[in-house]
Amino acid sequence: MTGEVAFYSPDTDPTILGTLTNVNALVPSLKGYKGAPSAMNAGLPALPLQVQGALSLKKPDNTSRFIIGTATKLYEAAASSWTDVSRVGAYGLASDARWSFAQYGTTSLAANKADLLQFSNSGAFADVAASPRAAYVEVANNFTFLANTNEAIYGDSPDRVIWSALGSFSDYVASIATQAGTTRLTSRPGPIVGIKRFSNGIVVYKQNSMYAGTYVGAPNLWSFQDVPGEIGAVSNNVIVPIGTPEDPKHIFMGAYDFYQFDGARPVPIGSPLKETVFSEINRNNIGLSTALHDVQNSRVYFYYCSGGSSLPDKCVVYNYKTNKWGRDDQMIECAAEYIVPSLTYGGFGTLYSTYGDAPNVSYGSSLFSSASLTPSIFKTDHILYTISGASAQSTLTTGDIGDEINYKLLRRIKPQFISAPASATLTNYYRDSLGAPLTTDFNVNMSNYRFDFLRSARWHRINITFSGDVELNSLIPDYTEAGSE
């Protein structure tokens, strides 16, 4: 790179100026790249089982609930504890199933295909009597939608959508008078894997197709039209609304690329890394992929299973303002936006025994903001962590600097920092042909915010490990021509 703005692009030609062939714990910011925020314990105890779904639900009075589900229970977060809000009698999720949640007015809804639809206005959930069992629940335009259903009339219907009576979350008896109804989406094969609100409408996803649902009134009530292209989402949890009611948009992970949908057709966004991601993904567990929206920083984290993993263990991060990608690999059970109770002096002692136990965060952190929506994850210890701590360690690896003809004497690498790290170490690699293996060269510590060394070669590749918070937008190599052969 010769001062070119950096971009993580492992699928492109590594000799293109600015290419980063590999990064970890480095995410795209509005100005460049920065160390990924670390996971910070949210102050809640470990849950007894793997978390299989979570969502912050906002009520009309602007209060919120954070509900999570395991295979057998539903829990609600308090400031420093979990409350069991399960119905009487345990639930029965399979290990690869996930809860789906939605909010209808003052009523919180929870769905999984093994149990009747659940509802709660406060406290414990209960069965919605005679409701369909459904894998997914969503609310739009004063209707409640259930998708991928199993009920008495039609039986197990993986391609069916059922919607409630207008103004109801509990009446699913088809009737033009009440406007409750149902349809099967059969023009494309496969089960429904997701359903999300889209302004006043709804978008239904299969793995290789999409349907846009629009309210048309009696007698058809809701019309579902095929979206052009053989594109869909891999799960309900990878579909992220990023727009506004006036300008809705979804970003989602498909079977072989990432897409943005604005109501017309899905447009690919993952070209610089799709080959890397989809070559390492575990196809048997692709439906366990999940996404996390960092609204404040315009980033979406896509977690997926690699190799033989049965939990998401890899993560690529997309900034939809800058159209750049990063990476923050870690193994998780679940991801959700957590509405953090604001921290006060009165509540400090409840969460932390001493000031030394408090997290290392900046003054402007969401920890100190009222009702902040914070990206969060559950790790394999079943504990909730907010993605809001100081960056611990991050790395980048450049592409190849040089050419096939001339030797270059590389003397220095100068990062263009926006915020400099506490320390950093550089490792230089070199080779005399792009087809040859890389030779490991110097390890150099940062001094005066730069790395000084000498190496003559046709091609150089740089790896830098940063410790502490860092933000940068480019690397500037200092070299001279050292002859040719």
Side-chain angles (χ1 to χ4, degrees), residues 26-35 297-299 317-319 321-326 418 470-473:
L26 199 70
V27 296
S29 66
L30 292 179
K31 299 175 182 177
Y33 280 87
K34 68 186 306 180
N297 293 298
S298 308
R299 291 193 287 258
V317 187
Y318 179 64
N319 188 309
K321 296 292 187 183
T322 64
N323 197 33
K324 286 187 177 181
W325 291 88
I418 298 165
V470 62
E471 187 170 12
L472 74 164
N473 62 17

Side-chain angles (χ1 to χ4, degrees), residues 43-383:
L44 292 158
L47 288 151
L49 294 174
Q50 175 185 329
V51 176
Q52 295 180 235
L55 193 67
S56 288
L57 301 168
K58 185 164 284 190
K59 302 171 78 170
D61 63 1
N62 215 33
T63 60
S64 61
R65 309 177 71 183
F66 186 63
I67 307 294
I68 74 95
T70 69
T72 60
K73 296 282 187 178
L74 290 170
Y75 296 90
E76 182 171 0
S80 59
S81 64
W82 295 103
T83 301
D84 186 342
V85 290
S86 308
R87 70 173 182 195
V88 177
Y91 302 109
L93 268 73
S95 61
D96 60 350
R98 294 295 181 263
W99 284 93
S100 174
F101 300 98
Q103 186 72 22
Y104 185 91
T106 60
T107 303
S108 302
L109 302 172
N112 75 78
K113 204 171 179 181
D115 298 284
L116 294 178
L117 180 66
Q118 300 294 293
F119 81 102
S120 167
N121 291 306
S122 64
F125 282 76
D127 294 345
V128 175
S131 67
R133 290 171 169 81
Y136 312 108
V137 59
E138 182 61 293
V139 173
N141 204 15
N142 213 18
F143 290 86
T144 304
F145 292 84
L146 304 176
N148 193 335
T149 60
N150 190 353
E151 37 73 58
I153 297 175
Y154 301 105
D156 187 5
S157 302
D159 55 9
R160 184 175 295 280
V161 177
I162 299 175
W163 58 90
S164 69
L166 178 64
S168 174
F169 67 86
S170 58
D171 181 1
Y172 296 93
V173 178
S175 165
I176 292 179
T178 67
Q179 301 198 49
T182 182
T183 190
R184 290 179 64 199
L185 304 178
T186 58
S187 63
R188 310 283 183 90
I192 293 169
V193 300
I195 182 168
K196 293 290 181 183
R197 178 178 175 175
F198 197 82
S199 188
N200 288 326
I202 206 87
V203 180
V204 181
Y205 290 81
K206 296 184 179 183
Q207 284 209 351
N208 293 296
S209 59
M210 300 165 56
Y211 299 82
T214 306
Y215 178 71
V216 295
N220 295 323
L221 305 174
W222 282 85
S223 172
F224 291 85
Q225 301 297 320
D226 287 16
V227 174
E230 295 184 1
I231 294 167
V234 298
S235 77
N236 193 49
N237 292 325
V238 300
I239 309 162
V240 179
I242 65 163
T244 64
E246 298 76 25
D247 184 24
K249 290 184 178 68
H250 287 175
I251 283 179
F252 63 94
M253 179 179 180
Y256 294 99
D257 206 343
F258 299 89
Y259 298 90
Q260 180 171 292
F261 177 63
D262 63 1
R265 63 177 64 238
V267 177
I269 60 173
S271 56
L273 50 60
K274 69 174 185 177
E275 290 180 12
T276 296
V277 170
F278 292 97
S279 65
E280 68 182 3
I281 204 164
N282 182 344
R283 288 280 162 187
N284 292 328
N285 289 329
I286 196 170
L288 299 180
S289 303
T290 191
L292 178 62
H293 190 191
D294 181 351
V295 178
Q296 180 176 347
N297 293 298
S298 308
R299 291 193 287 258
V300 178
Y301 293 68
F302 290 100
Y303 297 90
Y304 57 94
C305 304
S306 70
S309 179
S310 59
L311 285 174
D313 63 331
K314 298 287 187 180
C315 176
V316 290
V317 187
Y318 179 64
N319 188 309
Y320 49 85
K321 296 292 187 183
T322 64
N323 197 33
K324 286 187 177 181
W325 291 88
R327 184 176 279 274
D328 188 20
D329 292 340
Q330 54 190 310
M331 183 173 284
I332 68 166
E333 293 178 346
C334 183
E337 296 165 79
Y338 172 51
I339 297 183
V340 183
S342 58
L343 182 60
T344 65
Y345 283 107
F348 191 95
T350 302
L351 294 176
Y352 309 106
S353 300
T354 69
Y355 283 100
D357 294 330
N360 179 21
V361 296
S362 63
Y363 176 78
S365 167
S366 60
L367 182 69
F368 302 102
S369 304
S370 177
S372 301
L373 197 63
T374 303
S376 305
I377 57 174
F378 287 90
K379 295 188 180 183
T380 54
D381 56 8
H382 318 322
I383 292 175

Side-chain angles (χ1 to χ4, degrees), residues 429-444:
Y429 302 89
Y430 66 94
R431 54 187 168 185
D432 287 339
S433 172
L434 281 178
L438 289 162
T439 299
T440 304
D441 200 11
F442 301 103
N443 287 324
V444 182

